[in-house]
Amino acid sequence: PTVLLVLSIQEIHADQEKIVKISAAGQLMRCSASVDVLFLLDGSYSIGKGSFERSKHFTGKLCDALDIRPDRIRVGMIQFSSTPHLEFPLDSYATKQEVKERIKKTVFRGGSTETGLALKYILRKGFPGGRNSTVPEILIILSDGKSQGNTEIPAMQLKARSITVFAVGIKFPRWQELHALASEPAEQHVLFAGDAADAANGFYSTLTRPTVCSTPSPDCKIESHPCDRKTLETVKELAGNYVCWRGSKQQNAVRPSLCPFYRWKKVFIKHPSRCFRTVCPEPCDSQPCQNGGTCVSKGLDKYYCLCPVGYGGDIHCAPKLSIDCSVDLLFLMDSSAGIMLEGFLRFKAFLKRFLQAVMGQDSPMNVGVAQYDTDVKIPIEVGQHKDVFGLMKSIEALNFSGGETQTGRALWYVAQHGFRSTPVFADVRDDLPRVVVLLTDSKSQDPVAEAAKYARDQGLFLIGIGSSFLRAELIEVTGHPKQAIIYSSPHDLLNKIPELQKRICSMDSPEGCQAQSLDLVFAVDASAGVGLENFLQLKDFVRSGSSHFSINRDVTQIALVVYGSRAHTAFTLNTHTSSSGLLQAINQLPFLGGSSSAGSALLHIYGDVMTVQKGARPGVNKVVVMLTNGAGMEGAASPAQQLRNSGILVFVVVIGDAQKDVVLKVAGSPDYLVHISSYEDLQHYEDLIIERICEEAKSPVNLCKPNPCLNQGMCILGPGSYRCECHGWEGPHCESRKAPQMLPVAGIVRRDAPRSLVLPPDSHMQQSPRGLQHFSRAPQHTKKH
């Protein structure tokens, strides 16, 4: 609290952007001139040791920007309290570093505040070690201004000798006395040390006027701002009149009376003034960020842009999304009383932001807008505008109507009249896919199922956007959960721009990643904490998710592990070569019960599932999807990292309450963590999870991760391939023990191998009855972890 009080002793009345610029400019200022600078530090008890240390800090900050050399700027210091004490003369130190080190070693002395004696000492001695007035002399007094002697006369005599005097307030300054000490104009020579960056700016701003120091840049200029300087004063305040006893003229008699009682109170008294500070232009002044991006300065020469959703194609927030598919696109906007004017305006803003982000000069899509309540109208026909600017103007002109929410009627209408080919649109191809994007936030007051089916039967691809309470209705309209885009809050609506862009062009693309090679392992929590009923829902999710992939040796392989306290492999990657066999095996998954250990499951997958022996293919992306309620995750971070180090993505799907920091460590990144509130909602996240897996399947692959070489062979990458360097083993993957070459000599068996045989670390040696040694390679899953 004390620090906060000190920092608010001087307040500059300017906007926050100007305050930041003042601080940044102060850090850039560098003064190089022939000047003698003498610091006069108050070391009295009224300052105290803490404020004295702050004075030293401020002095060091000023030295940072001084070109301290014998022929340029010289610096000296005097500490005063009851008597002045020369800490070091101006000719003692030749470098900035030496001066700063000496300032740090200065010891607080304590005593009364005899500022007048210190000024007389300088009048008598001059600047110790200085250049005898052949260069400008600057005296910087750091004090709280509470002197116990007269200061006005010696201060006037110093200024009469052409010495420039700065008065810097410390702690709770007495500003009137500091103004009397400082050179004229006092507003430019009185500063506050509590904010060192601001005070440094004020100091150099004043020195640039007589050109003692030069400005940091020709574009920088000094600006005047109103500011309040405060003094902490003790005032007398009437507390009230209370009964007291007073004597009377009669002997041995007293009488009651009312007496005033006072209390002493500390208050801040404001002294309005003006502060002069240098402000330099910033890169953000030119507003380099486009499309609503926010410019953030990093000093006076660097910046970066915080871009809205859909932008960030370059550093200036160019659109990064685009619609590459040729479509006829009609937006069907709810304009009913159910969404109110606020919701209608929100949809308009979303629509404009989306089209600005995805629609370029040569965009292959034709856009139209319909709006509905009780009636339906199409104010912007599909393909009417070929440029974004004209389309934006037409969207801006749309007005809220506010009737009933008849979504079913609107769907009937746009299915019949939304994509009419007329001579006006003779250049529009009739065979383009037709997409309708429904924007609504109120439940329909008429049936939607039959109208939506009719629209889909006419070849329309329907996408619905709305809040979570409309999820069921939007799925009914679109016919598929994947085409229902749900936002959680009004602010979240703009975050759905990338998802809408993907959905529009996904109408003809196959679901899942049918053409991508992938090794995929599902790890399903089958512990008592999940429970049998919820475990059955997890089975349904795995069954449904697996249907998105083409199951065969050349495309997607899927393995399945269930786990409780121990892990159990239901089937390996190379077990099933068709979807039918895989789905049948999923139906037979056992529920294990017991406690949950996700770490054991991941170790099991690393050592016994994602291996070449069990079907893992070199050069193919590998993903582990863990379905869990979040229990038993404490020891799973390390094995998850072990999988990632081998090039295997770990994707964690958590259902219910869980410790977010724990599961985040297992996932490794928020991008690979999906948190779902209930098992019933799991089905709605299927498309999102499959989409993220498919994105990973398209990423580049390191052929040596995980290591395809067995028996401690070393994988060596080549151009588009790899080879295994084996030691004591042979074969493409070091899978066979190298046969020893034996030469019969006089009945003795000789080997070409070295005499001392070195066993692999996980081999076992057995002694047979005949004394012959047999070596067997231990399976990988017996490794201790």
Side-chain angles (χ1 to χ4, degrees):
T2 304
V3 174
L4 292 175
L5 280 173
V6 169
L7 291 177
S8 66
I9 296 300
Q10 176 174 285
E11 294 176 349
I12 295 179
H13 297 290
D15 57 75
Q16 186 58 35
E17 187 179 347
K18 282 277 174 63
I19 300 295
V20 172
K21 286 184 178 182
I22 288 169
S23 178
Q27 295 170 18
L28 284 183
M29 291 177 167
R30 297 291 179 267
C31 185
S32 181
S34 294
V35 184
D36 284 349
V37 177
L38 180 63
F39 289 101
L40 185 61
L41 268 65
D42 187 343
S44 64
Y45 289 131
S46 67
I47 284 286
K49 190 171 182 181
S51 294
F52 182 75
E53 291 299 319
R54 189 172 293 114
S55 299
K56 287 164 56 178
H57 171 74
F58 173 75
T59 305
K61 281 287 185 184
L62 286 188
C63 289
D64 280 334
L66 296 176
D67 184 15
I68 298 175
R69 287 184 285 165
D71 61 329
R72 305 301 288 166
I73 296 179
R74 295 185 183 183
V75 173
M77 180 186 285
I78 294 172
Q79 181 183 172
F80 72 94
S81 50
S82 302
T83 58
H85 173 78
L86 178 63
E87 295 290 347
F88 59 91
L90 283 85
D91 56 359
S92 295
Y93 302 106
T95 68
K96 181 188 304 184
Q97 195 59 36
E98 290 175 329
V99 171
K100 290 183 67 178
E101 287 297 323
R102 178 61 181 81
I103 291 171
K104 286 181 182 178
K105 294 176 182 177
T106 304
V107 178
F108 175 68
R109 294 181 173 274
S112 57
T113 313
E114 298 289 349
T115 312
L117 284 178
L119 298 178
K120 291 174 183 177
Y121 176 88
I122 296 171
L123 285 168
R124 187 171 66 253
K125 300 275 190 178
F127 276 33
R131 284 167 276 193
N132 300 322
S133 303
T134 58
V135 298
E137 294 179 320
I138 298 174
L139 176 64
I140 304 174
I141 305 170
L142 288 93
S143 173
D144 60 1
K146 298 172 184 176
S147 177
Q148 293 171 336
N150 182 280
T151 60
E152 290 186 15
I153 295 175
M156 288 176 57
Q157 291 172 337
L158 280 172
K159 289 178 276 190
R161 295 188 181 181
S162 299
I163 296 174
T164 302
V165 180
F166 284 88
V168 182
I170 295 291
K171 202 174 181 181
F172 301 107
R174 188 171 291 163
W175 293 105
Q176 297 95 324
E177 187 169 323
L178 294 179
H179 274 255
L181 290 173
S183 296
E184 293 293 337
E187 289 83 2
Q188 297 178 32
H189 291 83
V190 175
L191 306 167
F192 177 61
D195 189 340
D198 171 73
N201 184 308
F203 174 70
Y204 294 115
S205 298
T206 302
L207 292 184
T208 55
R209 294 201 161 193
T211 64
V212 174
C213 301
S214 57
T215 56
S217 160
D219 297 325
C220 298
K221 58 183 179 180
I222 297 173
E223 293 185 358
S224 169
H225 306 283
C227 56
D228 287 337
R229 290 171 176 155
K230 301 176 184 177
T231 302
L232 188 65
E233 301 284 355
T234 303
V235 296
K236 189 177 180 181
E237 185 181 65
L238 178 65
N241 295 313
Y242 297 90
V243 175
C244 59
W245 299 93
R246 292 185 174 180
S248 68
K249 294 181 180 179
Q250 299 175 5
Q251 189 175 5
N252 299 326
V254 291
R255 59 184 177 82
S257 179
L258 288 177
C259 301
F261 279 81
Y262 296 92
R263 61 186 173 196
W264 297 95
K265 183 179 178 182
K266 290 186 178 294
V267 296
F268 279 114
I269 296 177
K270 289 184 179 180
H271 302 271
S273 183
R274 296 201 71 79
C275 293
F276 295 82
R277 302 292 183 263
T278 297
V279 177
C280 298
E282 287 184 315
C284 286
D285 290 346
S286 61
Q287 298 181 341
C289 303
Q290 304 164 358
N291 300 308
T294 302
C295 184
V296 180
S297 297
K298 295 176 70 177
L300 291 177
D301 57 346
K302 295 180 181 178
Y303 68 94
Y304 63 92
C305 294
L306 293 174
C307 303
V309 177
Y311 298 89
D314 62 12
I315 61 169
H316 297 123
C317 299
K320 69 175 179 181
L321 301 173
S322 63
I323 290 189
D324 301 322
C325 53
S326 297
V327 292
D328 284 345
L329 178 61
L330 178 66
F331 287 91
L332 180 58
M333 287 178 60
D334 187 346
S335 181
S336 67
I339 68 167
M340 299 186 292
L341 176 60
E342 180 185 359
F344 179 75
L345 295 176
R346 184 161 57 245
F347 283 144
K348 273 179 62 173
F350 170 80
L351 185 53
K352 289 165 64 178
R353 178 66 63 85
F354 174 78
L355 293 173
Q356 285 175 327
V358 304
M359 198 170 174
Q361 290 288 339
D362 302 317
S363 177
M365 65 178 178
N366 303 303
V367 179
V369 180
Q371 64 180 98
Y372 74 93
D373 51 0
T374 310
D375 298 315
V376 190
K377 57 184 177 181
I378 305 178
I380 305 173
E381 297 277 0
V382 173
Q384 180 178 334
H385 293 284
K386 291 297 182 183
D387 64 296
V388 182
F389 180 73
L391 187 57
M392 292 301 108
K393 284 185 66 176
S394 295
I395 292 172
E396 188 57 44
L398 298 178
N399 293 316
F400 177 65
S401 46
E404 294 183 356
T405 310
Q406 296 200 13
T407 309
R409 181 178 181 179
L411 289 170
W412 283 109
Y413 187 88
V414 297
Q416 295 170 354
H417 307 290
F419 298 89
R420 290 179 300 175
S421 295
T422 64
V424 178
F425 309 118
D427 59 333
V428 178
R429 290 166 49 201
D430 288 338
D431 60 344
L432 287 182
R434 294 173 171 181
V435 180
V436 175
V437 178
L438 172 65
L439 293 162
T440 182
D441 202 22
S442 59
K443 287 194 174 183
S444 179
Q445 294 173 264
D446 66 341
V448 297
E450 190 177 347
K453 185 177 183 304
Y454 174 78
R456 294 196 300 271
D457 290 343
Q458 302 307 305
L460 301 188
F461 184 75
L462 302 181
I463 299 171
I465 300 178
S467 50
S468 55
F469 80 98
L470 282 176
R471 185 191 298 274
E473 184 174 297
L474 292 177
I475 292 174
E476 190 176 25
V477 168
T478 61
H480 198 289
K482 183 177 181 180
Q483 288 152 233
I485 299 174
I486 307 301
Y487 58 89
S488 58
S489 65
H491 178 72
D492 186 45
L493 176 60
L494 291 177
N495 296 330
K496 300 301 177 182
I497 288 176
E499 188 175 348
L500 176 58
Q501 179 251 353
K502 289 179 182 178
R503 294 286 172 265
I504 289 172
C505 289
S506 68
M507 76 209 87
D508 295 323
S509 61
E511 291 185 353
C513 28
Q514 304 283 1
Q516 296 295 327
S517 296
L518 180 68
D519 285 345
L520 174 62
V521 178
F522 285 102
V524 181
D525 190 341
S527 66
V530 171
L532 178 58
E533 185 178 345
N534 293 330
F535 175 73
L536 294 176
Q537 294 198 55
L538 295 180
K539 276 175 61 173
D540 290 341
F541 176 83
V542 174
R543 186 189 302 110
S544 178
S546 300
S547 65
H548 290 268
F549 301 94
S550 177
I551 309 299
N552 65 59
R553 291 274 187 269
D554 299 320
V555 187
T556 301
Q557 296 185 145
I558 294 181
L560 185 53
V561 172
V562 290
Y563 70 93
S565 57
R566 302 179 71 179
H568 166 72
T569 303
F571 49 84
T572 61
L573 289 166
N574 57 3
T575 302
H576 298 288
T577 58
S578 68
S579 295
S580 58
L582 183 136
L583 294 175
Q584 189 174 357
I586 293 173
N587 291 335
Q588 298 171 0
L589 278 184
F591 176 68
L592 303 179
S595 60
S596 174
S597 176
S600 298
L602 293 176
L603 284 172
H604 176 77
I605 292 169
Y606 177 79
D608 200 49
V609 179
M610 279 290 192
T611 64
V612 174
Q613 300 98 312
K614 299 297 174 66
R617 296 165 293 174
V620 173
N621 276 300
K622 293 169 174 55
V623 178
V624 175
V625 177
M626 174 166 275
L627 300 164
T628 175
N629 66 351
M633 302 286 281
E634 290 74 15
S638 180
Q641 187 59 48
Q642 197 172 358
L643 285 164
R644 283 191 289 274
N645 292 342
S646 295
I648 302 168
L649 168 70
V650 179
F651 199 96
V652 181
V653 180
V654 180
I655 303 101
D657 295 329
Q659 289 183 292
K660 189 171 182 181
D661 55 337
V662 175
V663 293
L664 185 58
K665 287 179 182 176
V666 179
S669 164
D671 295 336
Y672 303 122
L673 174 64
V674 174
H675 200 166
I676 303 172
S677 58
S678 67
Y679 288 87
E680 289 73 22
D681 289 338
L682 184 59
Q683 58 177 327
H684 303 308
Y685 287 83
E686 179 183 315
D687 295 320
L688 170 67
I689 294 167
I690 298 301
E691 192 174 288
R692 291 290 293 108
I693 294 170
C694 293
E695 286 177 6
E696 189 64 27
K698 298 173 185 175
S699 61
V701 182
N702 184 338
L703 295 176
C704 284
K705 282 192 173 185
N707 187 1
C709 307
L710 306 177
N711 300 309
Q712 299 179 353
M714 181 181 295
C715 180
I716 299 174
L717 282 173
S721 64
Y722 69 92
R723 65 181 177 85
C724 290
E725 189 174 279
C726 309
H727 302 283
W729 301 80
E730 60 186 3
H733 297 103
C734 309
E735 67 274 14
S736 305
R737 180 175 289 283
K738 202 169 187 179
Q741 296 181 8
M742 296 181 290
L743 299 174
V745 179
I748 301 174
V749 177
R750 282 185 55 199
R751 301 179 180 221
D752 283 349
R755 290 183 181 180
S756 59
L757 180 62
V758 179
L759 299 180
D762 53 355
S763 296
H764 300 283
M765 182 175 74
Q766 297 175 341
Q767 188 75 26
S768 72
R770 297 182 181 180
L772 296 177
Q773 293 178 339
H774 301 280
F775 303 96
S776 63
R777 180 71 170 170
Q780 284 196 351
H781 66 267
T782 61
K783 245 195 273 185
K784 290 184 179 179
H785 295 279

